[in-house]
Structures are given as C-alpha cells and as structure tokens.
Amino acid sequence: MKVGIVGLPRSGKTTVFSALTGQQPDPTLPPGRTTLGTVRVRDARLEALHKLYPPAKLIFAEVVFADVAAAPGRKGLDRASLTAMRDFDAFAQVLRGFPDETGAPPDPSRELADLEAELVLADLDVVERKLPRLQKGEKPGFPAEKELLTRLREHLDANRPLRLAGLSAAEARNLSGYAFLSQKPLLAVLNVPEAAVRDPAPPALVAAAEERQVRVLVLSGEVERQIAELDEESARDFLRDLGLAESASQRFIAAAYGLMDLISFFTVGDDEVRAWTIRRGTEAAAAAGKIHTDLEEGFIRAEVIRCEDLLALGSEAKCREAGKLRLEGKTYVVQDGDVLHIRHSK
Ligand SMILES: Nc1nc2c(ncn2[C@@H]2O[C@H](COP(=O)(O)OP(=O)(O)OP(=O)(O)O)[C@@H](O)[C@H]2O)c(=O)[nH]1
Ligand SMILES: [Mg+2]
C-alpha cells in the first residue's frame, strides 16, 4: 500500500515526507521521480503478543509513503508528477499552513479545490480520449464501459471528483486499469507552524473538506522532524510539553489505514511475531497469500484465535483447551486482530 504525499508546488510535501519517514529525497531527481520511505505501524496488541514469545523477532506492518520530485517554478502540477501519482493507492495532500516564501498567507481550502480541479481535468482528458474510440466501435474492455465512461464524463464536466461519483465496488474494480486520480482516497494534511499545532483546522478548510468527504489532519512537519531526531523518552517529553498525546506519524498512519480500509492480522511463533496488512473484507486464503503464495495455493484451513483471547489466556494451547481456537475455511473473512495459523499442503 503506497500513500503518495501530494499537493501544489511548494506546499511542504517534501518537508512532511521527510518528517514522517526520516528520508531525504535527492534534490537533483528529475521531475516525476519518486522517493519511497516506510513507516512502522506501531500496534500495542502486537507488542503485547510479542511478550508471549520472548525469543521471537517483532515485525511491525509498514506503510510506504512516496514523495514526487516536482518540476521547478510551476504553479500547477507537471505532467510527470501526474503520471507518477497514478501509481499510488491513496493520496495525502499537504496543504500549506504557513506564509510562503513571498509572505503570502496560507489558503488551504483553495489549495484543496485547486488540486482537485487538476486531478479532475487529468481524468477528463483520459475519458475524452477513450470515449470516441469506444463510440467508433472499439471493443470495450469490460461490459458497459462506454455507458460508464459517459456517466463519468458528465460527472467530471461538473467539476466533481470521481471519488464522489457513487461508483459501485464492481464499477470501481472495472475502472482500476484507468488509475483515475480523482477516484483515489484522499486525506488532507494541514502543515502548520509549531505554535499552531494544537489549533483546530480553520472553518473554511473544514467546510471544504466536509463537502468532499475528506478528513483533515493537522500536523507540524517542523515538530515531526524534531521528534524523529529524539529517542523515545525525549520524544514523549517533547510531545507532552507541546500538549500532544502522540506524534503525528502514528495519527497519520491510523488515518491512512482508515482511508484505505486496511486492517491488521497477526502471525505468532518462536521465530517471529508479525503484523500483516490487508484490506477489510479479505478472505483467509488471500490473506494467507500475503504471507507466502504457497500458503494460498496449498491452503487447507486457518486456525484463528482472537488476539485478546491469546493475550488473556497466555498460550495457543490454553486457547485450544478453552475452545477459543476456531478452524476456518478459505472464504472466512479475516477480522482486524485475528491471530492466524495457516494449515497448508505445501
Ligand atoms: N515556515 C515554514 N516553512 C516551511 C514549513 N514546511 C516547509 N516550509 C518551507 O516551504 C518551502 C517548500 O517546502 P518543501 O517541503 O520543499 O515543499 P514541496 O511541496 O516539496 O515543494 P516542491 O517539491 O518544490 O513542490 C521550503 O522553503 C520549506 O522550508 C513549515 O512548516 N513552516
Ligand atoms: Mg518537494
């Protein structure tokens, strides 16, 4: 799962990316080239499970963030950046919450609208190049492609992002090859100065975000960068002094999980105790495939224990005795916090 840190030029994308991931993109990269950085998903349940298997390695799930090198001196997005953005599963749009280099005050609700307009235009361009070919009799890639694209064109023509087009799950799946930009889940990230880090988001931004069904996260890239340089205890003290409960990177990840409808399941053993990320609704065989393709192909059954049962009873054997271990088939829908052991024939 890759979250693209996107936004208008000079909004603070790279600052936020570096603060979250500790990675410094090479400033000489050509436009459109991406830099990836991973962030561990802290999970108290996983850390508690790890205590039951002392020699095991503890492996957190990770979220990948991407920063795109921008073409210098542009007002809007360059083509190379738009192309790079097609590859991301979701967007976090950084909104400038500080005066820019010329002293101009921030206008985050306008930035939200401006980027959206660019994404809508880029999608409209794709639809308008495809539709005439379908109308001329080109074989559609999926049933009713022409009708669906016609509907999308009307929607885009009205300056509405495809996220709000009320697409069914099947339609969204059919369209996945197009990688429409305005269809991708979006989170708004207001990057404010340290002094404003506890202030609520400005009402105009809240209204603009609500209208688009977008969540707003307020953070200070500057504060996050400083936290990233501290050890855990000093970071806690620093956050307490600022009146914050936790660093934004974990809030950011929680929001990204929600945005992409992601959940975690766990595997435990003497070698490793590990969290895996899947989309909500994933069935057991596909979840097993995340661990290893052999486990999906040779899937027989999943032994499932709820992590709270395992934590309360202290061992898999005790869970088995207490009837807390279930055997589930291929189509079992894995739940957040399930501990899985896959029985397989490979
Ligand atoms: N005052 C202040 N300046 C910031 C903050 N975050 C970023 N900046 C400045 O804003 C400018 C742009 O920051 P970047 O992080 O490079 O923004 P960007 O969106 O990656 O820019 P491009 O990739 O060129 O589009 C730089 O001069 C930063 O120093 C902030 O929180 N406060
Ligand atoms: Mg940048």
Side-chain angles (χ1 to χ4, degrees), residues 8 32 38 45 69 96 238 267 287 319 335:
L8 296 184
T38 53
R45 300 171 301 180
R96 182 167 59 83
F238 181 59
T267 53
C319 288
Q335 304 295 309

Side-chain angles (χ1 to χ4, degrees), residues 109-292:
S109 48
R110 186 190 52 78
E111 285 191 14
L112 193 63
D114 282 358
L115 184 83
E116 178 177 279
E118 294 220 33
L119 304 187
V120 163
L121 266 183
D123 288 346
L124 191 57
D125 188 45
V126 172
V127 172
E128 288 192 328
R129 273 185 290 132
K130 181 69 178 186
L131 260 181
R133 304 210 316 253
L134 288 168
Q135 277 151 358
K136 268 195 220 131
E138 182 177 306
K139 206 165 144 273
F142 55 85
E145 185 174 11
K146 191 169 66 179
E147 292 71 19
L148 181 56
L149 288 192
T150 307
R151 205 177 99 210
L152 298 190
R153 183 175 58 188
E154 275 170 33
H155 186 85
L156 292 163
D157 259 334
N159 298 318
R160 305 278 293 160
L162 295 181
R163 231 179 323 107
L164 303 179
L167 296 168
S168 69
E171 286 169 334
R173 238 192 338 271
N174 279 337
L175 290 171
S176 63
Y178 283 100
F180 285 124
L181 297 170
S182 74
Q183 190 187 350
K184 295 186 191 281
L186 177 77
L187 173 73
V189 179
L190 181 64
N191 180 26
V192 297
E194 180 174 328
V197 74
R198 288 178 60 201
D199 297 349
L205 175 60
V206 172
E210 266 174 13
E211 198 185 303
R212 297 172 167 81
Q213 297 167 24
V214 166
R215 264 188 69 184
V216 181
L217 198 75
V218 179
L219 60 76
S220 162
E222 187 46 37
V223 168
E224 294 305 309
R225 193 186 53 71
Q226 293 177 47
I227 291 172
E229 286 167 7
L230 299 172
D231 61 57
E232 214 156 306
E233 204 185 318
S234 323
R236 251 199 311 274
D237 291 345
F238 181 59
L239 283 166
R240 207 186 34 236
D241 290 346
L242 287 168
L244 297 174
E246 58 178 350
S247 80
S249 74
Q250 292 303 315
R251 274 192 292 141
F252 202 128
I253 285 175
Y257 260 56
L259 189 68
M260 294 185 282
D261 220 6
L262 301 178
I263 59 170
S264 302
F265 73 88
F266 307 121
T267 53
V268 297
D270 292 330
D271 303 338
E272 62 177 41
V273 169
R274 180 163 183 168
W276 304 85
T277 305
I278 51 173
R279 240 176 246 277
R280 191 183 303 282
T282 300
E283 295 181 348
K290 279 263 159 193
I291 305 171
H292 199 287

Side-chain angles (χ1 to χ4, degrees), residues 23-141:
Q23 294 256 47
Q24 270 314 331
D26 173 355
T28 63
L29 283 180
R33 287 286 293 277
T34 55
T35 304
L36 302 181
T38 53
V39 179
R40 290 194 321 184
V41 182
R42 295 294 293 267
D43 189 326
R45 300 171 301 180
L46 183 72
E47 287 171 79
L49 285 173
H50 182 234
K51 297 212 170 75
L52 301 178
Y53 301 84
K57 253 174 84 177
L58 172 60
I59 306 179
F60 290 94
E62 289 179 339
V63 173
V64 178
F65 290 100
D67 180 62
V68 184
R74 286 184 59 108
K75 274 223 152 11
L77 291 181
D78 52 279
R79 191 149 286 279
S81 294
L82 285 168
T83 303
M85 285 163 66
R86 298 200 182 276
D87 187 37
F88 305 147
D89 300 300
F91 295 148
Q93 179 180 1
V94 177
L95 303 166
R96 182 167 59 83
F98 50 88
D100 75 3
E101 288 133 342
T102 68
D107 190 355
S109 48
R110 186 190 52 78
E111 285 191 14
L112 193 63
D114 282 358
L115 184 83
E116 178 177 279
E118 294 220 33
L119 304 187
V120 163
L121 266 183
D123 288 346
L124 191 57
D125 188 45
V126 172
V127 172
E128 288 192 328
R129 273 185 290 132
K130 181 69 178 186
L131 260 181
R133 304 210 316 253
L134 288 168
Q135 277 151 358
K136 268 195 220 131
E138 182 177 306
K139 206 165 144 273

Side-chain angles (χ1 to χ4, degrees), residues 10 13-15 67-70:
R10 312 306 286 161
K13 301 180 291 294
T14 301
T15 304
D67 180 62
V68 184

